[in-house]
């Protein structure tokens, strides 16, 4: 009888530990300086497409989300040292990043574009960029693209910690332009008062070598449990309409892509 009681107590203890483990929050890293995907509202709360998608995924997975703010170039290091469990911060799926992290299926896909003063024409050959200063966000895919593609055309590439810092220097005339995600540039700059007098120029940039296969959620290498459940949640919110509801709040087109 004592053995049965002991076994029962052990089973109950293991069940309790399992329950506690199941309730462990999912720590999600995000950079809140990338509108309309993630930014700070006047009350200090994070808002944006990435943030809403993350909360919808956590609701679908029935897990509590804890958001951890981090500058973009510190997100992967934070994931590796287990400060966070996942990165949901408009991170493009690239072969280079796959060496460090595992990615879910994509949750959106958009091209990169150049923004410069209205009237400046940039051709497919990009020769007009010679002598121009182009701002990029440090550690982003646009940073690598600019250094490997735009710099050889004669552009001077200037890295910054955030895209908002780049906008300020574009306005101040310290930069001639910036290259970044097209949706980010349109909603975060061109549609604002600060973006008056500026416009897209040149071609759309979609080379998978730099821009990968869309934007996904990063988890630690080998973290199959989180990878599988996040993938299942992405498929679920796409199927049940939650994804479209969030998308329509921010964009007037299908950001998921074809």
């Amino acid at each position: 009888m004592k053995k049965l009681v002991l076994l029962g107590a052990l089973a109950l203890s293991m069940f309790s530990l399992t329950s506690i483990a199941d309730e462990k929050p999912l720590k999600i890293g995000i950079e809140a300086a990338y509108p309309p995907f993630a930014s700070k509202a006047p009350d200090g709360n994070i808002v944006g497409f990435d943030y809403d998608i993350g909360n919808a995924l956590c609701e679908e997975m029935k897990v509590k989300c804890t958001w951890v703010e981090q500058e973009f170039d510190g997100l992967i290091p934070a994931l590796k040292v287990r400060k966070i469990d996942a990165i949901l911060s408009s991170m493009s799926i690239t072969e280079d990043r796959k060496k460090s992290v595992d990615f879910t299926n994509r949750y959106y896909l958009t091209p990169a574009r150049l923004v410069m003063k209205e009237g400046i024409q940039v051709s497919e050959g990009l020769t007009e960029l010679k002598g121009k200063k182009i701002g990029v966000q440090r550690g982003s895919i646009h940073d690598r693209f600019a250094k490997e593609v735009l710099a050889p055309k004669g552009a001077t590439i200037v890295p910054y910690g955030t895209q908002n810092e780049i906008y300020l220097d574009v306005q101040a005339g310290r930069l001639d332009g910036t290259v970044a995600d097209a949706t980010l540039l349109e909603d975060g700059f061109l549609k604002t008062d600060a973006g008056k007098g500026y416009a897209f120029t040149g071609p759309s940039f979609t080379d998978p070598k730099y821009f990968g296969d869309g934007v996904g959620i990063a988890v630690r290498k080998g973290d199959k449990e989180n990878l599988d459940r996040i993938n299942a949640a992405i498929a679920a919110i796409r199927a049940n309409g939650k994804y479209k509801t969030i998308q329509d709040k921010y964009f007037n087109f299908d950001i998921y892509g074809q």
Side-chain angles (χ1 to χ4, degrees):
M1 177 61 75
K2 287 183 179 179
K3 287 183 178 179
L4 287 174
V5 171
L6 180 60
L7 287 171
L10 287 170
L12 182 61
S13 174
M14 290 177 67
F15 177 79
S16 299
L17 289 172
T18 302
S19 298
I20 291 168
D22 288 342
E23 292 170 4
K24 185 180 177 182
L26 186 71
K27 294 177 289 185
I28 304 178
I30 191 169
E31 184 204 37
Y34 202 64
F37 297 98
S39 59
K40 284 293 193 69
D43 62 5
N45 289 323
I46 303 173
V47 295
F49 177 76
D50 281 348
Y51 181 70
D52 287 356
I53 287 291
N55 286 330
L57 293 174
C58 285
E59 183 181 352
E60 187 66 37
M61 294 185 291
K62 296 180 172 54
V63 65
K64 180 182 177 182
C65 281
T66 300
W67 292 91
V68 180
E69 287 186 64
Q70 180 88 43
E71 283 200 358
F72 190 83
D73 58 359
L75 286 168
I76 289 179
L79 182 67
K80 287 183 173 181
V81 299
R82 298 179 179 271
K83 181 180 177 182
I84 54 178
D85 304 306
I87 299 169
L88 205 169
S89 194
S90 290
M91 185 170 281
S92 295
I93 304 166
T94 66
E95 291 304 315
D96 190 50
R97 285 180 179 147
K98 284 179 184 178
K99 296 172 185 175
S100 300
V101 300
D102 286 340
F103 278 103
T104 65
N105 299 328
R106 81 168 193 260
Y107 67 98
Y108 80 83
L109 174 65
T110 53
R113 294 293 305 274
L114 269 167
V115 159
M116 301 180 76
K117 281 273 192 182
E118 276 183 347
I120 294 178
Q121 299 297 317
V122 176
S123 64
E124 291 280 343
L126 306 175
T127 54
E128 296 84 356
L129 295 180
K130 185 176 181 179
K132 303 294 185 184
K133 288 185 178 179
I134 304 297
V136 292
Q137 185 171 11
R138 187 183 300 110
S140 69
I141 54 171
H142 308 99
D143 187 355
R144 180 186 170 211
F145 168 77
K147 288 173 180 173
E148 294 186 9
V149 177
L150 305 187
K153 300 296 182 180
T156 298
I157 308 306
V158 187
Y160 286 77
T162 70
Q163 194 65 34
N164 287 337
E165 293 176 275
I166 295 172
Y167 297 150
L168 290 173
D169 274 8
V170 168
Q171 283 180 274
R174 289 186 284 269
L175 291 172
D176 296 296
T178 181
V179 62
D181 178 87
T183 306
L184 167 77
L185 291 170
E186 182 170 8
D187 287 81
F189 186 60
L190 295 179
K191 286 183 177 178
T192 70
D193 290 340
K196 284 183 171 61
Y198 295 88
F200 287 126
T201 186
S204 292
F205 304 117
T206 58
D207 187 345
K209 176 182 176 182
Y210 299 102
F211 305 107
D213 302 310
V215 170
I217 299 165
V219 299
R220 276 183 293 278
K221 274 286 186 186
D223 187 359
K224 191 172 185 301
E225 180 183 353
N226 277 325
L227 190 72
D228 288 347
R229 68 174 177 168
I230 295 172
N231 271 333
I234 292 171
I237 66 170
R238 289 276 299 156
N240 64 24
K242 287 182 182 178
Y243 182 96
K244 188 175 187 307
T245 298
I246 295 169
Q247 169 191 276
D248 292 350
K249 178 179 173 182
Y250 296 98
F251 313 110
N252 58 6
F253 62 94
D254 177 13
I255 195 170
Y256 186 80
Q258 299 302 313

